[in-house]
Amino acid sequence: MGPVIGVLALQGDFSAHRNALKQSGAQVLEVRSVAQLDQVDGLIIPGGESTTMLRLLRLENLFEPIRNFGQHKPIFGTCAGAILLASEVLHPTQPSLGLLDMTVERNGYGRQVDSHIADIDIDGQVAEAVFIRAPIIRRTGPAVSVLASSGEIPVLVQGGLHLASTFHPELSHGSSVHQFFVRMVEKAMQERRSCLS
Ligand code: GLN
């Protein structure tokens, strides 16, 4: 049985993620409750508005359960989701799950640049990335790998079990970033199984 990937569906562009995941062959479940979170092997936190999402996570009593989930299972945060994963959030400061050792600056490209498309470099390949009121990753911890960047700025990073992008891979053609996350989830499942056996 392949992995079941949850998409946090409280706010933001969760349905585009569902479509991209389906293209990569994963089973998808929208997550709005702890009971649904318990059924998934990995979770995507979509883009949207991180302050609103934080408020809804608390309202639905999902903040702590997702933090605990992230101790054992992979989470992929895109844009607002990356802000929620970060260990430090600036401009302004706000609480976060603290699961990925990085500092992000909200709306880092400035308010006048609402959205833009840039060429990014993923593994030596040039790809198009959509940025919408995107944060800028200002610092990554020593155990975090930068998988893609736009100029000097990291835009796709992996730290431990988790993946974060400041762009929206669900809005571009192709689902290679989603496929990469599905493989991370499969690997984490295998590792958990071998720990249990
Ligand atoms: N600017 C938003 C925030 O700070 C993120 C934007 C996005 O997810 N596209 O939460």
Side-chain angles (χ1 to χ4, degrees):
M1 230 5 201
V4 182
I5 313 280
V7 182
L8 185 68
L10 297 178
Q11 193 257 347
D13 71 335
F14 48 86
S15 53
H17 279 289
R18 193 183 49 211
N19 298 339
L21 279 169
K22 284 204 169 136
Q23 274 177 39
S24 40
Q27 297 181 70
V28 189
L29 186 70
E30 290 186 357
V31 170
R32 297 186 177 82
S33 67
V34 175
Q36 289 162 334
L37 185 66
D38 285 343
Q39 293 172 49
V40 301
D41 305 301
L43 181 71
I44 290 186
I45 305 183
E49 174 53 51
S50 57
T51 314
T52 307
M53 252 189 254
L54 257 181
R55 193 169 50 78
L56 294 172
L57 282 174
R58 293 224 164 93
L59 203 69
E60 302 299 328
N61 292 316
L62 272 165
F63 186 86
E64 279 304 324
I66 289 180
R67 209 200 320 241
N68 293 336
F69 179 96
Q71 305 299 327
H72 314 283
K73 293 180 181 176
I75 301 180
F76 176 21
T78 60
C79 206
I83 297 170
L84 290 175
L85 279 182
S87 50
E88 187 182 27
V89 180
L90 307 174
H91 191 236
T93 54
Q94 75 182 11
S96 53
L97 295 161
L99 290 166
L100 214 158
D101 184 13
M102 63 176 178
T103 302
V104 298
E105 179 187 336
R106 293 181 61 202
N107 300 304
Y109 294 91
R111 282 191 181 277
Q112 69 280 23
V113 189
D114 232 16
S115 56
H116 67 284
I117 293 177
D119 282 341
I120 62 166
D121 179 344
I122 304 187
D123 245 353
Q125 304 263 39
V126 177
E128 194 185 84
V130 180
F131 294 85
I132 304 171
R133 293 186 299 283
I136 287 184
I137 298 173
R138 293 292 183 197
R139 179 196 64 87
T140 52
V144 173
S145 331
V146 176
L147 305 182
S149 45
S150 173
E152 295 294 296
I153 300 172
V155 295
L156 177 67
V157 299
Q158 183 179 8
L161 284 170
H162 309 305
L163 185 69
S165 72
T166 56
F167 60 98
H168 288 262
E170 76 285 6
L171 298 182
S172 293
H173 293 298
S175 52
S176 58
V177 181
H178 287 82
Q179 277 165 24
F180 180 82
F181 181 63
V182 172
R183 282 199 299 274
M184 280 173 63
V185 175
E186 284 167 348
K187 195 162 157 253
M189 285 168 81
Q190 279 158 12
E191 277 164 15
R192 278 202 310 281
R193 270 194 216 113
S194 60
C195 281
L196 292 175
S197 60

